[in-house]
């Protein structure tokens, strides 16, 4: 192990290694009554008088809350068709750290419990699958119902094929009307009640949070516009209205109608809900429109509603990473991570380059700057989270414990061979899913209210599965002296705003903002390679720009003459599925000042933390089953985290 007896050794890039106390030194705010603010630091009261104990009279959390906001059980018709047997109670048991038996009969357990979980079974056809499998009379009266029933009960690849057919039919608006499970029916109502009751039974305030939720399943000719709906409320309010579907006439595929449903829910129940947009890489340009949405010119009402309702975005999950794309960011050597860019969800329309800028988080953040200038509100001023979108009932995002996208892709010697999904002659390869991701939320308490409120104020970050501890503050007063502390969060809140917030107006005499960023490794994963700050901005001609800055790094490396940082190296032994933490650092912290700041330009900043290379889930699978993977199968990964941005907006004249 590396000798870190001198954790404050100086480095020319002002990166220093902290003690493991960093995990307990981060902060947020006391939870409250669902306050929505773009200035989280305004909630922090600070200390009136310094006590001897630096931990006394604090009003911020000791650690991030780890969770999954996007998980399906056998209640979702596609998950059930793929072979899932686990129900919401099983999903909650697993998230709490208990061992369960997977749908394929394998014992499975998390390395560490999660703090919260949202079971988000699909809004459409809720309750349909059990009726299909059991051959309910109305199912067997349908030709398509009889066919799918036979395929499902045959199991194996026939069941997977049936699932693909159902997804394609729903995607193309060809799902048999006689088989649809719709709001207002007893099947739908009973299923929704069961989902709510499972969350109520699993919820344990202070120890584990089980949110009520669902996934609004908008698909427009295979273009994925799903949103995960999360309730701050309990059963009493949640049962007053059934979920909003994407099926007409009761539902709609237009997000504007979903936002109106959210308004109606809050007006009727006095409750609160939020929507998290699905990773946009399968939307084929529909996720982040700039001028038109659903054939209508985007105006003030659209941008204001979206900014209010969609304060978080799912930046990474099993079906690909959505932070950046190499076509959009050719100068970013880390942009091509877990890229899924074949086409839309059912591969009925292949991808073209012009679609990409409307699908990725970084691009959307830039588009939002221009839309704010033109329309007065930034609709893409969102925070970042990750989640799995697993259809197994198992929230697994750790490389050595990955149970796949669906139950047809749970661990097995042939998993990499079988397509994750096959649509006609096209397919998603069995080795293509990512073991990703998790949501980290800086909430004071492990309760629905506290975690929900932290999500609303965007004090969150995404990871691809590794549980790194990351903090990010922006302000005008940070200095190198702030690095020498056991409590960086205390300084962070006192001097600036945390991730998800807005920089204050430029103070008199200040030329550029400074940022305090700290990261600590996951004890079960690799050391840290580097911390980067990604900046996006709009110039005086309304042109959009981005730049990636390496701000802290390990191993005393030095950038070359062009400013490029050398590789951290690679210690992975693929055959043994092992690596050594003899490279990289366990913790990094720095204060960085923007060298290119222009006070007249709107900008955002977010942090990307990258680990040293470690074995991918395919390497663990190869070792366990003693199989040789084809050369085209990736065997190494570099886990990463993405924080919610901090924004700067010039003062209006």
């Amino acid at each position: 192990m590396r000798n870190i007896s001198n954790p404050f050794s100086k480095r020319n890039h002002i990166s220093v290694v902290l003690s493991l106390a960093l995990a307990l030194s981060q902060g947020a705010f006391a939870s409250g009554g669902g306050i929505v603010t773009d200035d989280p630091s305004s909630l922090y009261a600070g200390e009136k008088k310094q006590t001897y104990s630096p931990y006394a009279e604090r009003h911020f959390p000791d650690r991030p809350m780890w969770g999954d906001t996007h998980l399906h059980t056998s209640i979702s018709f596609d998950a059930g068709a793929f072979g899932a047997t686990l129900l919401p109670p099983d999903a909650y048991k697993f998230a709490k750290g208990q061992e369960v038996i997977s749908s394929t009969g394998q014992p499975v357990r998390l390395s560490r419990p999660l703090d919260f979980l949202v079971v988000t079974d699909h809004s459409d056809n809720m309750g349909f699958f059990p009726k299909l499998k059991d051959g309910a009379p109305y199912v067997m009266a349908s030709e398509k119902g009889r066919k799918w029933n036979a395929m499902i009960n045959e199991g194996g690849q026939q069941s997977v094929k049936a699932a693909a057919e159902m997804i394609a039919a729903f995607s193309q608006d060809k799902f048999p009307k006689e088989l649809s499970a719709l709001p207002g029916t007893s099947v739908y109502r009973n299923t929704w009640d069961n989902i709510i009751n499972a969350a109520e039974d699993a919820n344990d305030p202070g120890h584990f949070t089980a949110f009520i939720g669902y996934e609004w399943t908008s698909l427009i000719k295979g273009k994925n516009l799903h949103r995960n709906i999360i309730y701050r409320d309990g059963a009493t309010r949640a049962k007053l209205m059934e979920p909003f579907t994407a099926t007409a006439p009761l539902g709609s595929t237009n997000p504007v109608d979903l936002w109106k449903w959210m308004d109606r829910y809050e007006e009727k129940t006095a409750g609160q809900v939020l929507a998290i947009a699905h990773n946009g890489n399968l939307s084929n340009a529909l996720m982040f429109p700039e001028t038109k949405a659903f054939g209508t010119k985007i105006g003030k009402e659209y941008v204001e509603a979206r900014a209010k309702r969609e304060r978080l975005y799912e930046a990474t999950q099993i079906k690909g990473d959505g932070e950046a794309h190499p076509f959009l960011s050719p100068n970013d050597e880390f942009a091509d991570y877990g890229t899924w860019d074949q086409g839309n969800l059912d591969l009925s329309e292949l991808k073209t380059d012009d679609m990409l800028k409307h699908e990725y988080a970084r691009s959307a953040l830039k588009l939002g700057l221009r839309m704010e200038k033109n329309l007065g509100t930034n609709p893409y001023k969102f925070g970042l989270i990750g989640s799995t979108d697993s259809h197994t009932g198992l929230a697994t995002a750790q490389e050595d414990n990955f149970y796949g996208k669906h139950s047809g892709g749970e661990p097995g010697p042939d998993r990499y061979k079988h397509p994750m999904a096959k649509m006609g002659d096209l397919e998603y390869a069995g080795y293509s899913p990512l073991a990703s991701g998790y949501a980290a939320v800086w909430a004071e308490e492990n309760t629905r209210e506290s975690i929900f409120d932290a999500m609303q104020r965007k004090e969150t970050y995404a990871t691809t599965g590794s549980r790194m501890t990351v903090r990010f503050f922006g302000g005008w007063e940070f200095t190198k002296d702030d690095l020498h502390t056991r409590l960086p969060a205390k300084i962070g809140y006192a001097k600036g705003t945390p991730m998800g917030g807005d920089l204050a107006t430029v103070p008199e005499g200040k030329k550029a903002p400074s940022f305090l960023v700290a990261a600590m490794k996951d004890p079960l994963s690799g050391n840290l390679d580097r911390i980067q700050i990604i900046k996006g901005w709009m110039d005086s001609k309304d042109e959009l720009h981005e730049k990636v800055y390496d701000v802290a790094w390990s191993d005393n490396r030095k950038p070359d003459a062009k400013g490029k940082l050398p590789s951290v190296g690679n210690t992975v032994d693929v055959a043994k599925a092992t690596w050594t933490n003899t490279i990289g650092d366990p913790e990094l912290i720095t204060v960085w000042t923007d060298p290119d700041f222009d006070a007249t330009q709107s900008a955002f900043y977010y942090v990307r933390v990258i680990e040293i290379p470690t074995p991918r889930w395919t390497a663990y699978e190869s070792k366990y089953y003693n199989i040789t993977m084809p050369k085209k199968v990736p065997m190494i990964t570099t886990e990463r985290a993405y924080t919610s941005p901090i924004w700067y907006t010039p003062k209006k004249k």
Side-chain angles (χ1 to χ4, degrees):
M1 298 295 290
R2 175 177 285 97
N3 183 352
I4 56 171
S5 59
N6 180 15
F8 296 113
S9 58
K10 293 183 178 179
R11 296 179 179 181
N12 61 2
H13 57 287
I14 66 171
S15 169
V16 300
V17 179
L18 288 179
S19 74
L20 291 178
L22 177 61
L24 302 180
S25 69
Q26 312 308 304
F29 312 104
S31 59
I35 298 172
V36 177
T37 175
D38 286 328
D39 182 16
S41 59
S42 66
L43 303 177
Y44 177 58
E47 284 76 16
K48 295 180 180 179
K49 180 180 180 181
Q50 177 64 53
T51 61
Y52 180 83
S53 170
Y55 313 105
E57 299 182 0
R58 292 196 311 181
H59 302 288
F60 45 79
D62 294 326
R63 61 180 182 85
M65 301 292 174
W66 290 99
D68 189 348
T69 64
H70 192 176
L71 182 78
H72 297 269
T73 73
S74 60
I75 288 175
S76 289
F77 73 92
D78 53 351
F82 276 120
T85 60
L86 301 187
L87 291 164
D90 304 305
Y92 290 123
K93 288 178 183 178
F94 181 74
K96 288 181 176 183
Q98 299 177 39
E99 184 173 303
V100 302
I101 301 300
S102 79
S103 299
T104 54
Q106 304 181 60
V108 57
R109 185 177 182 177
L110 286 172
S111 63
R112 294 150 289 180
L114 294 177
D115 297 300
F116 67 92
L117 176 67
V118 194
V119 171
T120 54
D121 282 310
H122 290 302
S123 61
D124 289 71
N125 290 322
M126 192 177 284
F128 159 71
F129 183 75
K131 299 295 183 181
L132 172 66
K133 186 175 183 181
D134 293 343
Y138 80 92
V139 170
M140 303 308 287
S142 163
E143 180 181 355
K144 190 70 74 173
R146 290 193 299 273
K147 177 188 176 184
W148 287 343
N149 169 268
M151 295 171 72
I152 292 297
N153 285 297
E154 182 176 336
Q157 287 304 303
Q158 278 297 102
S159 185
V160 171
K161 184 178 179 181
E165 286 188 14
M166 284 188 275
I167 293 170
F170 184 78
S171 298
Q172 299 299 319
D173 196 25
K174 295 180 180 179
F175 198 89
K177 302 300 181 184
E178 71 273 16
L179 296 179
S180 297
L182 299 173
T185 64
S186 60
V187 169
Y188 198 97
R189 177 79 250 180
N190 291 338
T191 304
W192 179 233
D193 285 348
N194 289 338
I195 290 171
I196 291 172
N197 293 338
E200 293 293 90
D201 290 343
N203 195 46
D204 185 10
H207 303 284
F208 179 83
T209 294
F211 282 100
I212 297 167
Y214 67 90
E215 183 172 27
W216 176 67
T217 316
S218 173
L219 277 174
I220 303 168
K221 300 299 182 182
K223 300 173 184 179
N224 189 316
L225 287 176
H226 297 183
R227 265 75 168 175
N228 289 300
I229 309 303
I230 302 175
Y231 292 68
R232 191 177 189 264
D233 313 313
T236 301
R237 288 191 172 102
K239 288 186 177 182
L240 291 176
M241 286 177 62
E242 292 174 336
F244 188 65
T245 69
T247 303
L250 299 177
S252 167
T253 57
N254 191 332
V256 172
D257 295 322
L258 172 69
W259 305 331
K260 292 177 180 177
W261 176 90
M262 295 170 73
D263 290 339
R264 293 195 300 272
Y265 171 83
E266 294 188 349
E267 291 169 2
K268 180 175 181 177
T269 69
Q272 286 183 269
V273 285
L274 63 84
I276 302 175
H278 185 291
N279 182 5
N281 63 342
L282 303 179
S283 73
N284 278 18
L286 291 190
M287 184 56 75
F288 298 116
E290 185 176 9
T291 57
K292 285 186 177 181
F294 287 79
T296 302
K297 183 178 179 181
I298 290 176
K300 189 171 184 291
E301 183 178 356
Y302 179 95
V303 296
E304 289 180 352
R306 184 156 186 166
K308 176 183 177 182
R309 288 301 175 195
E310 299 190 6
R311 299 178 67 79
L312 293 180
Y313 175 65
E314 182 184 88
T316 187
Q317 61 134 286
I318 288 174
K319 296 199 302 296
D321 194 77
E323 181 240 349
H325 189 281
F327 176 80
L328 301 173
S329 303
N331 297 321
D332 181 357
E333 62 181 305
F334 294 101
D336 193 13
Y337 176 81
T339 304
W340 277 40
D341 56 5
Q342 287 178 258
N344 57 354
L345 180 62
D346 64 359
L347 296 176
S348 59
E349 181 183 43
L350 299 184
K351 194 78 67 184
T352 57
D353 289 342
D354 60 299
M355 297 176 182
L356 297 172
K357 72 175 181 177
H358 302 290
E359 298 184 356
Y360 285 82
R362 188 186 302 175
S363 177
L365 290 168
K366 291 193 295 181
L367 291 176
L369 299 178
R370 188 158 56 201
M371 294 174 76
E372 181 174 27
K373 178 182 178 181
N374 295 333
L375 299 170
T377 299
N378 183 347
Y380 305 138
K381 195 175 181 180
F382 47 70
L384 301 179
I385 57 98
S387 285
T388 65
D389 193 11
S390 169
H391 282 54
T392 63
L394 305 170
T396 59
Q398 194 169 314
E399 299 288 345
D400 65 352
N401 195 34
F402 181 51
Y403 270 65
K405 167 62 180 174
H406 56 71
S407 294
E410 291 190 6
D414 296 327
R415 166 159 57 164
Y416 75 96
K417 296 180 183 178
H418 294 305
M420 189 211 77
K422 189 173 179 64
M423 310 291 184
D425 295 330
L426 301 175
E427 65 180 43
Y428 294 106
Y431 55 82
S432 63
L434 305 187
S436 185
Y438 282 141
V441 180
W442 286 103
E444 185 184 22
E445 300 172 336
N446 193 344
T447 63
R448 286 172 175 167
E449 296 79 12
S450 186
I451 296 173
F452 185 97
D453 293 350
M455 289 180 178
Q456 285 282 66
R457 65 175 180 261
K458 299 174 284 193
E459 200 164 358
T460 64
Y461 61 98
T463 82
T464 56
S466 178
R467 303 193 196 185
M468 291 174 267
T469 301
V470 184
R471 277 317 238 164
F472 181 42
F473 297 91
W476 304 92
E477 306 291 339
F478 293 118
T479 68
K480 294 181 182 181
D481 290 340
D482 295 329
L483 303 178
H484 301 271
T485 175
R486 309 266 56 86
L487 298 173
K490 196 170 188 177
I491 293 173
Y493 286 115
K495 287 187 173 184
T497 187
M499 61 180 78
D502 283 304
L503 287 169
T505 304
V506 183
E508 188 73 27
K510 296 295 180 181
K511 296 183 178 180
S514 53
F515 299 87
L516 172 61
V517 56
M520 182 180 69
K521 75 181 293 290
D522 179 339
L524 300 185
S525 194
N527 277 341
L528 305 181
D529 169 2
R530 67 188 72 190
I531 296 176
Q532 299 177 312
I533 289 181
I534 288 86
K535 177 186 178 182
W537 72 96
M538 183 174 69
D539 65 22
S540 59
K541 298 181 180 179
D542 294 354
E543 295 294 324
L544 302 173
H545 306 272
E546 65 177 66
K547 188 171 182 179
V548 179
Y549 300 86
D550 290 310
V551 300
W553 52 87
S554 63
D555 299 340
N556 290 311
R557 291 170 285 164
K558 294 182 179 180
D560 63 19
K562 295 183 178 180
K564 179 176 172 57
L565 186 66
S567 168
V568 71
N570 182 6
T571 67
V572 175
D573 185 326
V574 172
K576 295 179 180 178
T578 59
W579 82 97
T580 62
N581 275 326
T582 52
I583 58 174
D585 278 350
E587 296 171 346
L588 296 170
I589 185 172
T590 193
V591 166
W592 175 80
T593 300
D594 181 0
D596 305 308
F597 182 71
D598 184 332
T600 67
Q601 298 175 347
S602 295
F604 62 82
Y605 305 81
Y606 70 90
V607 164
R608 182 170 64 187
V609 183
I610 299 176
E611 289 185 0
I612 65 170
T614 52
R616 192 175 183 264
W617 67 266
T618 43
Y620 290 106
E621 192 122 312
S622 177
K623 177 188 175 185
Y624 183 83
Y625 292 108
N626 192 27
I627 54 179
T628 301
M629 296 281 186
K631 290 184 178 180
K632 63 183 177 181
V633 177
M635 304 292 275
I636 296 174
T637 189
T638 51
E639 301 276 357
R640 66 261 325 266
Y642 315 123
T643 71
S644 293
I646 293 174
W647 283 268
Y648 168 76
T649 304
K651 187 177 181 180
K652 294 181 180 180
K653 296 180 181 179

